[in-house]
Amino acid sequence: MEAHRSAEHWGRYVSVFLLFSSALNTVSAVTHYSIPEELKEGSVVANLAADLGLDVQELSRRKMRLDIIANKKYLDVNKETGELYIVEKIDREYLCISKTTCFLKLDATIENPVRMFNIELEILDINDNAPHFRRDTMHLDIAESTAAGERFSLNNAVDPDIGTNSIKTYYLSESEHFNIEIQTGRDGSKFSNLILKKALDREEQSVHNLILTAVDGGVPSRTGTASIIVRVLDTNDNAPKFDRDSYNIDIMENSPIGSLVVKLNATDLDEGSNSEIVYSYSLYTSEKTQETFSLNTNTGEITVKDMINYEDFRIYDMEVIATDKGTHFLSGHCKLTILVTDMNDNHPELSIKSFQSPVKEDIAVDTVIAVVSVSDKDSGENGIVDIRIADTLPFALRESSDNYYELVVSEPLDREKVPEYDITFTVTDRGSPPLSDNETMTLELLDVNDNVPQFPQSFYTIPVMENNAPGALLSSLTAFDPDLHENQYLVYFIIEKEIVNTSMSMLFSINPENGNLYALKTFDYEIEKEFLFHIEARDSGVPPLSSNVTVHIIIVDQNDNPPVIVSPWRAHGSVVEEKIPRSTDKGSLVSKVIAIDTDSVQNSRITYQFLQVTDATLFSLDQYNGEIRTMRMFSYRDPRHQRLVVIAKDNGDPALSATVTIKLSTVETAVKAYSDMTEVPLEYDIFSDLNLYLVIGLGSVSFLLLITILVTCVLKCQKPKPSKAAPPSRNSVISDRNSTIADSTLVSNDAYWYSLFLAETRKGKLVVRQPVPKAGSRYIVSSLPRSTGLTETSDSAASTLQVRIKLFISNLQNAVLL
């Protein structure tokens, strides 16, 4: 459809001339077509099949084809419609260069039978090319002295189109100095000449830019342009001229040699050598001026050649000539007046009349430490001097009289923050530009004892493992004093504090020089668990300053005490003999092993187990409470005597242990007494086990309160007599373990009776200790009703009684907590 539309669009440009021969031969007559150039691809030229009288349906079978021209296929035949159409755009100027007519000849060939048709296609010109110049820019050099009416040839423009589409005329851009003249050649081409209609002046305009336009005769017309640059050549018709005829210049005295005074500028409107200028002094310039100032002949710069002194010459007059380098040179003149200005050329001076250094850091505010004076040889504003110091310094300047100033302390000084000050006095006059000078003094500060020693911490907690070696280093408590010399030297002391008639200096020692803290004795966790005291650090100043720190020594427990078996009681490692009825039922309590460990926490947790047993099927041992019970009833085959070895082991690392050997003898009837004690049973069948524990707990608390009140009254009313043989106190400095066998026995006996007390009270009995009149025996056991209290021991030393009572109360408290 688009091919048909294209054919209709271009139909008015196509003229078909068909010439048929009278007979059908192999080669037919020539078929003529005419089309404009630059048709779009796919445009239909004509229906070739219809014009040649061919059947459209036979075109494909008869293999109709067109020739290829110059390796290009411009046209082709649509075998379905028989239309001749454009394959590639046709450029007439490309195919037919410089020809007025342009034909494209083709041969169309078909087979079955073979026939050949001659096709002649005329390409009509359209105005598709604009005129253009061979050079876009044309340069012309014309002297400014050239007379009006002179002609200059210009390059003509070309246009590939022909006929009316070729160049028709030229136009020149508006100019008051130039116009053009158009001429026609023999071949009809157009060309132009440039005509000077007015004389040129290079100084007025040195370059003329013109635009030449070529126009063709097409519809619409097309144009092409070229630039014409006319450069006007110079002649020496202008003299050099200064920017100003006269100059008045101010210059400061003492201006440095080589400094620029002024740069003269003379201009010449000519060019080339006609505009090159040389500067020189005229004969009217004095020799003194020429000796003081130097003139650069090429640049016109006047610089200082010698020292300028206001007191010698205040005014310099000179005349400068500017001459060009033309063949017939021309020159210009100017006058200069140089005025010398007095300058501030004297620096202010500073003189220190008095200065006190060093000074103590506690010097009072408003104290004078220096006196200075200032002066300046200049006069007027140049002779007025201002003095200042840095604003960040703790000092101030105070004017005392004309040009005299005092330096005073304005803020409190602290040597520990700033040990010395560099004080810079700066003096500046009020000249323009101002001159200044400065001088620096160093003020040293002497130390005073105004800082107390400081510990890094206010509280020290120091753990110490028990059984430490005497003299062991515990810690280093070092304080810091920012003062100097003797004010910085520290001495360390332990602030005395007595604990049960024992001084802290007997327990600990501190190196007075470095603060190293040492232990003077071996500590036992079971006796001493902690200490709290103060250490003082004192400097050597006058007066001395000091501070103290709290030290908390915590004794750390070691597993250094083996378990002690307190029940069943045995004397000096002998075998414990027990009797048991042979008719004892299964699960009956045979005996109870009780051991205590004076260590703490993990080290005091005890477990029990059989080390040896005659018959492992007969007895069981509870590993936590040490109860030995029967696992079955006795038989007639069981031996009468049973030997049990029980080991009590603590939970320390490494673990410590103790053993007890129990020899059980079976009897036919029940016995009512153990080896060294008498039992009076008091049954409480009406109570359950839980009620029994509650009653025991409440009774123990009441009993503890009563005993505490009783002991307090005794201690208040009875003053202990001093005795040299008194047992060592708990916090004694020297621990002589060999001298406390009686106390150790007491502790063991107390623990034993306490454990026995617990064991028997669980059975509904109350066991108390009573003195035994028999020699070598300390206590006996009696089974009393619960209303019966503890009996008093014989009149022994008051201190022994107090210690025993305190130990018993402590054990009873632990029992209640358990």
Side-chain angles (χ1 to χ4, degrees):
M1 291 296 293
E2 187 172 346
H4 285 293
R5 289 194 208 103
S6 180
E8 293 175 359
H9 177 71
W10 296 104
R12 65 178 179 269
Y13 297 105
V14 180
S15 300
V16 181
F17 301 94
L18 299 175
L19 299 175
F20 298 96
S21 60
S22 58
L24 293 176
N25 298 319
T26 303
V27 180
S28 63
V30 178
T31 304
H32 293 272
Y33 296 102
S34 297
I35 62 170
E37 63 175 329
E38 302 292 340
L39 280 180
K40 294 182 179 179
E41 296 174 359
S43 300
V44 175
V45 177
N47 194 318
L48 185 60
D51 295 339
L52 298 178
L54 299 176
D55 188 358
V56 175
Q57 297 177 356
E58 296 292 328
L59 295 180
S60 297
R61 184 181 64 83
R62 299 186 68 176
K63 300 179 182 179
M64 187 175 188
R65 61 185 180 276
L66 294 177
D67 292 339
I68 296 174
I69 300 174
N71 295 326
K72 288 188 177 182
K73 192 173 184 179
Y74 291 102
L75 296 99
D76 200 357
V77 178
N78 189 329
K79 295 179 177 59
E80 295 180 356
T81 62
E83 293 176 336
L84 181 66
Y85 64 93
I86 302 296
V87 175
E88 185 176 346
K89 281 185 179 182
I90 302 173
D91 187 359
R92 194 198 69 83
E93 289 74 26
Y94 174 77
L95 291 176
C96 306
I97 301 175
S98 303
K99 291 182 180 180
T100 57
T101 60
C102 183
F103 292 94
L104 185 62
K105 295 181 179 182
L106 303 172
D107 290 331
T109 307
I110 59 175
E111 297 178 0
N112 300 320
V114 177
R115 292 186 63 187
M116 184 177 293
F117 302 93
N118 295 325
I119 301 173
E120 189 176 72
L121 184 64
E122 182 182 5
I123 308 301
L124 302 177
D125 181 49
I126 62 173
N127 192 22
D128 57 342
N129 292 283
H132 67 278
F133 291 87
R134 290 184 177 87
R135 289 188 299 176
D136 294 334
T137 303
M138 292 177 278
H139 294 274
L140 294 176
D141 292 335
I142 304 176
E144 63 176 329
S145 59
T146 302
E150 189 72 25
R151 296 172 179 269
F152 302 93
S153 298
L154 300 176
N155 295 328
N156 62 321
V158 294
D159 192 333
D161 295 327
I162 61 173
T164 57
N165 295 329
S166 64
I167 296 175
K168 181 180 180 181
T169 187
Y170 292 91
Y171 296 101
L172 182 67
S173 59
E174 185 177 354
S175 173
E176 63 174 320
H177 293 279
F178 299 95
N179 60 12
I180 60 172
E181 179 183 70
I182 302 172
Q183 296 183 5
T184 303
R186 294 180 180 179
D187 57 354
S189 60
K190 304 289 185 180
F191 59 91
S192 61
N193 292 325
L194 184 66
I195 300 175
L196 178 63
K197 65 179 182 179
K198 183 180 179 182
L200 301 175
D201 188 353
R202 195 205 62 80
E203 289 72 32
E204 181 183 343
Q205 186 175 355
S206 60
V207 177
H208 296 264
N209 294 308
L210 306 174
I211 302 296
L212 182 62
T213 304
V215 183
D216 64 19
V219 179
S221 62
R222 291 176 176 267
T223 61
T225 60
S227 296
I228 302 174
I229 300 176
V230 178
R231 189 165 65 93
V232 181
L233 301 180
D234 182 55
T235 57
N236 191 20
D237 56 349
N238 293 281
K241 185 177 182 180
F242 286 93
D243 295 341
R244 293 161 58 183
D245 294 335
S246 63
Y247 292 87
N248 290 322
I249 301 170
D250 294 328
I251 185 171
M252 297 296 298
E253 68 169 324
N254 301 324
S255 294
I257 295 175
S259 60
L260 180 66
V261 178
V262 66
K263 182 177 180 180
L264 299 177
N265 184 39
T267 57
D268 193 323
L269 299 179
D270 296 324
E271 67 176 2
S273 60
N274 297 329
S275 64
E276 295 179 6
I277 298 175
V278 178
Y279 299 91
S280 61
Y281 286 120
S282 71
L283 297 176
Y284 299 103
T285 304
S286 67
E287 292 184 1
K288 176 62 178 177
T289 301
Q290 295 185 36
E291 291 174 357
T292 307
F293 299 97
S294 175
L295 173 62
N296 189 313
T297 59
N298 295 322
T299 63
E301 291 181 349
I302 297 178
T303 56
V304 177
K305 186 178 181 180
D306 198 1
M307 183 63 64
I308 301 174
N309 195 337
Y310 176 80
E311 288 70 27
D312 295 337
F313 284 89
R314 300 185 181 184
I315 301 175
Y316 293 89
D317 292 320
M318 64 180 68
E319 184 181 48
V320 178
I321 300 174
T323 306
D324 63 26
K325 295 182 179 180
T327 304
H328 303 285
F329 61 86
L330 301 175
S331 62
H333 302 77
C334 77
K335 292 183 178 182
L336 288 86
T337 301
I338 299 177
L339 304 175
V340 180
T341 303
D342 187 24
M343 65 176 297
N344 184 26
D345 54 350
N346 291 290
H347 289 264
E349 296 179 356
L350 173 70
S351 177
I352 298 175
K353 302 300 182 181
S354 173
F355 178 61
Q356 181 183 357
S357 178
V359 297
K360 290 186 177 182
E361 63 175 318
D362 61 348
I363 187 172
V365 175
D366 209 35
T367 302
V368 178
I369 59 176
V371 177
V372 297
S373 66
V374 296
S375 61
D376 195 319
K377 295 179 181 180
D378 293 325
S379 60
E381 290 292 321
N382 297 335
I384 299 176
V385 180
D386 298 319
I387 183 172
R388 62 181 178 85
I389 59 174
D391 296 335
T392 57
L393 295 175
F395 306 101
L397 285 170
R398 182 174 61 193
E399 187 173 5
S400 58
S401 60
D402 290 342
N403 296 328
Y404 278 84
Y405 295 88
E406 294 176 343
L407 181 68
V408 298
V409 179
S410 61
E411 299 175 11
L413 306 180
D414 189 350
R415 188 208 62 82
E416 286 71 35
K417 293 182 179 179
V418 182
E420 65 179 22
Y421 291 92
D422 290 330
I423 305 173
T424 300
F425 295 92
T426 302
V427 288
T428 307
D429 62 24
R430 298 183 184 179
S432 179
L435 298 179
S436 63
D437 196 4
N438 60 72
E439 187 167 345
T440 300
M441 301 185 305
T442 300
L443 176 65
E444 297 181 4
L445 300 183
L446 297 177
D447 183 54
V448 296
N449 192 25
D450 57 348
N451 291 278
V452 299
Q454 299 176 357
F455 285 93
Q457 301 173 220
S458 61
F459 190 89
Y460 287 86
T461 300
I462 304 174
V464 179
M465 189 67 68
E466 69 170 329
N467 301 320
N468 60 289
L473 176 64
L474 304 183
S475 181
S476 180
L477 309 177
T478 305
F480 170 73
D481 194 324
D483 292 324
L484 289 178
H485 308 304
E486 66 275 1
N487 299 330
Q488 187 185 33
Y489 299 147
L490 302 182
V491 181
Y492 299 89
F493 305 92
I494 296 178
I495 300 178
E496 291 296 336
K497 177 183 178 182
E498 290 190 358
I499 302 177
V500 192
N501 298 326
T502 300
S503 173
M504 294 305 294
S505 60
M506 299 180 66
L507 301 176
F508 303 97
S509 172
I510 189 168
N511 189 317
E513 295 181 355
N514 57 26
N516 289 344
L517 183 64
Y518 301 91
L520 297 181
K521 60 164 287 185
T522 300
F523 296 107
D524 189 348
Y525 174 82
E526 288 71 35
I527 298 177
E528 302 127 337
K529 290 182 173 57
E530 63 180 6
F531 299 95
L532 193 67
F533 56 93
H534 299 281
I535 289 179
E536 178 181 306
R538 183 184 306 163
D539 61 28
S540 303
V542 179
L545 300 177
S546 63
S547 65
N548 60 68
V549 66
T550 303
V551 179
H552 185 200
I553 303 293
I554 299 176
I555 308 302
V556 181
D557 182 45
Q558 279 186 334
N559 190 26
D560 57 343
N561 292 284
V564 177
I565 297 177
V566 298
S567 176
W569 172 249
R570 70 200 188 286
H572 305 294
S574 60
V575 177
V576 177
E577 296 184 356
E578 300 281 357
K579 293 182 180 181
I580 184 172
R582 199 171 183 82
S583 60
T584 300
D585 294 333
K586 175 184 177 180
S588 298
L589 178 64
V590 176
S591 182
K592 182 179 179 69
V593 178
I594 300 176
I596 64 172
D597 193 324
T598 55
D599 292 322
S600 65
V601 196
Q602 296 291 338
N603 298 330
S604 64
R605 294 182 181 178
I606 299 175
T607 57
Y608 304 89
Q609 64 185 41
F610 281 128
L611 193 59
Q612 293 179 7
V613 60
T614 303
D615 188 348
T617 64
L618 187 57
F619 301 100
S620 65
L621 174 63
D622 191 303
Q623 63 173 340
Y624 298 110
N625 58 25
E627 292 182 351
I628 302 174
R629 295 181 180 273
T630 57
M631 296 174 62
R632 59 179 175 82
M633 294 186 66
F634 288 94
S635 67
Y636 68 91
R637 293 194 181 99
D638 294 327
R640 182 177 179 182
H641 300 286
Q642 300 284 336
R643 186 171 182 272
L644 309 176
V645 179
V646 178
I647 182 171
K649 186 184 299 183
D650 62 23
N651 200 34
D653 185 17
L656 302 178
S657 62
T659 60
V660 62
T661 303
I662 302 174
K663 183 179 179 182
L664 290 178
S665 300
T666 58
V667 296
E668 296 299 330
T669 58
V671 295
K672 295 183 179 181
Y674 288 97
S675 58
D676 291 327
M677 62 183 69
T678 305
E679 295 180 355
V680 180
L682 183 60
E683 303 295 338
Y684 291 92
D685 297 335
I686 60 175
F687 293 109
S688 65
D689 289 342
L690 179 60
N691 292 335
L692 179 61
Y693 295 152
L694 294 175
V695 170
I696 291 175
L698 292 174
S700 300
V701 172
S702 302
F703 181 72
L704 175 63
L705 179 61
L706 180 62
I707 292 299
T708 303
I709 296 173
L710 208 61
V711 170
T712 303
C713 294
V714 171
L715 292 177
K716 292 291 184 181
C717 297
Q718 182 179 4
K719 295 182 179 179
K721 296 179 180 181
S723 176
K724 294 182 180 180
S729 63
R730 176 171 181 169
N731 291 309
S732 177
V733 176
I734 302 175
S735 177
D736 190 355
R737 296 182 180 272
N738 295 330
S739 64
T740 58
I741 298 176
D743 289 338
S744 301
T745 306
L746 174 61
V747 173
S748 301
N749 289 342
D750 285 339
Y752 163 69
W753 290 116
Y754 154 66
S755 302
L756 185 61
F757 171 80
L758 289 181
E760 297 302 330
T761 51
R762 291 175 183 172
K763 299 177 182 180
K765 306 171 184 179
L766 181 63
V767 181
V768 298
R769 294 187 295 182
Q770 293 181 347
V772 181
K774 191 183 295 183
S777 177
R778 294 179 61 86
Y779 300 102
I780 64 172
V781 178
S782 297
S783 299
L784 301 176
R786 290 185 179 271
S787 60
T788 305
L790 292 174
T791 62
E792 296 181 357
T793 61
S794 60
D795 295 332
S796 59
S799 60
T800 304
L801 176 62
Q802 294 172 8
V803 170
R804 291 177 178 176
I805 291 174
K806 289 180 180 179
L807 288 172
F808 183 75
I809 292 173
S810 176
N811 294 333
L812 191 57
Q813 288 175 341
N814 294 333
V816 172
L817 294 175
L818 291 173

